[in-house]
Amino acid sequence: MSEQPLLSLVVAVYNGEKFLSAFFDSITNQHIDNLEMILVNDGSTDNSAEILNRYASKFSNYRVIEQANQGVSAARNTGLAVATGQYLAFPDIDDVIYPGMYPRLLEIAIQNQLDVATCNGTYVYDDGRPSKKIFPSDKLTSTGVLAGTTWLQQALSSRKFLHVTWLNIYRHAFIKNQGFTFEHGLRHQDIPWTTEVLLTAKRVQYIDETYYDYLIHSASVSHTPGTDDTRIRNSQHYMKILEMLNDINQRYPQQVSLAPACRWQIAKEGLGILHSINNISDKQKRKMITQELFDRGIWKMIWNNARGLRQHWRLGRRYFRLKRYLTD
């Protein structure tokens, strides 16, 4: 195909046989003629490969890449490396994409020469709880074209901002010129990715229009009671995220001066680590991860980035508890 695709969908697939048919239907219903589909089968052990091959005839620009299982970030990077579209998107296969999402985002992106175009979505729970907007309309309203730092400060200040890639489309040349990739093996990689993208984006626009259902599975790892070992792993993932966020803040001091909530979010995510540590019942394991927190300089980083009396008070209360864990 000689014409450059308007949009490349880079899709990580791992054991997605239950979701792929509905996912492909949602993409067909976008009615985008000049679309590039890049499916990275990340070592699936179910029938995903067969289903992916079955849909090849349904799309004119369609590519399946097979690789050993390396995780969603590695799969996204594999797809990103070969994408050719003017814009990029990274949808998750187990969510619901409403008709018109990508045409609407492309409309504002092209009209306003955006680096990032983003919309709203809905949390949908499979345990019967009522759905709710991801970004409450009373906290975040539609914007005009903003600098990425302005939108990031506004979004973080709402205290309702969710760091995700799947509500956005990105101008490919912008992502390529910045050399952005996803961190392999890191859960919640969307946090540092979104932060750095928005700190460097010149033109961003948010529309409070709901086009995406984010499905929260009650049986998923993220939403079931953890064990001590999962809490330790989660804490270590978030320590890495804080180190990445701190490095980002140091790389872009001018932008961070305009978006000081970038420092607040380090302390906010740090409080989550302290909560996980507090829930570890095995004293030796709790002592080990607490020592790692101090040895890696994470505690100092959290404290130094805290904003305001409330965050410092919450951290101060936990400091003496952490020190006690080291002597238990």
Side-chain angles (χ1 to χ4, degrees):
M1 180 179 260
S2 58
E3 183 181 2
Q4 182 183 17
L6 184 58
L7 177 67
S8 293
L9 295 186
V10 176
V11 186
V13 178
Y14 177 70
N15 289 352
E17 64 179 3
K18 293 189 297 183
F19 310 106
L20 283 170
S21 293
F23 172 77
F24 283 121
D25 287 345
S26 73
I27 301 305
T28 300
N29 289 334
Q30 298 297 309
H31 299 295
I32 300 174
D33 293 330
N34 199 1
L35 176 69
E36 179 179 53
M37 293 282 290
I38 301 173
L39 294 307
V40 181
N41 187 20
D42 188 45
S44 295
T45 57
D46 63 0
N47 292 319
S48 291
E50 177 187 340
I51 297 170
L52 291 175
N53 290 329
R54 189 190 313 156
Y55 276 88
S57 62
K58 306 291 185 180
F59 299 90
S60 59
N61 193 347
Y62 184 93
R63 179 173 182 179
V64 176
I65 300 173
E66 299 282 346
Q67 66 180 35
N69 180 248
Q70 301 173 58
V72 62
S73 292
R76 285 175 174 173
N77 287 339
T78 296
L80 178 59
V82 300
T84 63
Q86 296 177 48
Y87 295 90
L88 302 165
F90 302 94
D92 285 349
I93 60 170
D94 58 342
D95 295 333
V96 176
I97 304 168
Y98 295 7
M101 174 175 170
Y102 291 126
R104 180 70 173 118
L105 290 177
L106 287 166
E107 177 188 20
I108 64 170
I110 294 168
Q111 178 181 337
N112 297 319
Q113 299 179 306
L114 302 178
D115 294 321
V116 183
T118 185
C119 63
N120 208 343
T122 305
Y123 289 123
V124 177
Y125 302 88
D126 70 356
D127 60 5
R129 282 180 288 168
S131 60
K132 63 180 181 179
K133 273 190 170 183
I134 292 175
F135 303 136
S137 295
D138 61 336
K139 298 293 184 182
L140 287 171
T141 59
S142 296
T143 71
V145 179
L146 302 174
T149 50
T150 303
W151 166 243
L152 183 58
Q153 175 65 20
Q154 182 176 324
L156 289 174
S157 296
S158 75
R159 305 298 192 257
K160 295 295 183 180
F161 183 58
L162 182 70
H163 288 282
V164 294
T165 61
W166 32 258
L167 283 177
N168 311 327
I169 66 169
Y170 308 90
R171 186 168 62 86
H172 192 178
F174 159 66
I175 297 298
K176 186 175 181 179
N177 290 342
Q178 296 293 332
F180 291 142
T181 58
F182 295 92
E183 184 77 12
H184 285 210
L186 183 66
R187 291 186 61 198
H188 309 296
Q189 152 66 17
D190 288 6
I191 298 173
W193 164 273
T194 308
T195 298
E196 189 164 16
V197 164
L198 291 177
L199 281 176
T200 54
K202 303 295 186 186
R203 298 176 66 82
V204 175
Q205 187 173 5
Y206 167 69
I207 51 174
D208 183 19
E209 299 173 20
T210 302
Y211 287 109
Y212 197 103
D213 284 349
Y214 175 61
L215 305 182
I216 298 179
H217 307 285
S218 57
S220 71
V221 172
S222 299
H223 300 96
T224 53
T227 64
D228 282 353
D229 288 341
T230 61
R231 293 186 183 104
I232 288 171
R233 285 196 298 272
N234 191 58
S235 296
Q236 290 170 328
H237 278 281
Y238 270 96
M239 287 185 201
K240 174 63 175 177
I241 286 169
L242 294 199
E243 290 167 339
M244 292 176 70
L245 289 175
N246 195 56
D247 288 344
I248 290 167
N249 288 354
Q250 291 179 13
R251 283 200 296 276
Y252 307 104
Q254 184 175 355
Q255 290 93 323
V256 171
S257 70
L258 300 173
C262 288
R263 299 187 65 186
W264 166 86
Q265 76 169 337
I266 289 179
K268 177 249 186 184
E269 302 294 354
L271 281 163
I273 296 174
L274 304 187
H275 180 72
S276 290
I277 292 175
N278 188 55
N279 287 329
I280 295 172
S281 56
D282 185 285
K283 289 185 177 181
Q284 284 304 114
K285 291 181 178 179
R286 190 171 61 195
K287 179 178 180 179
M288 179 273 293
I289 194 64
T290 302
Q291 189 66 57
E292 182 176 347
L293 181 87
F294 284 102
D295 289 347
R296 289 173 65 169
I298 302 297
W299 167 261
K300 183 178 180 181
M301 184 190 304
I302 296 170
W303 180 262
N304 288 344
N305 282 281
R307 305 288 92 186
L309 182 61
R310 177 174 172 78
Q311 269 195 339
H312 280 104
W313 177 76
R314 293 178 69 190
L315 288 169
R317 289 177 59 208
R318 287 160 174 79
Y319 175 78
F320 296 102
R321 185 184 300 164
L322 291 170
K323 285 296 187 180
R324 189 173 71 246
Y325 292 158
L326 295 177
T327 59
D328 282 349

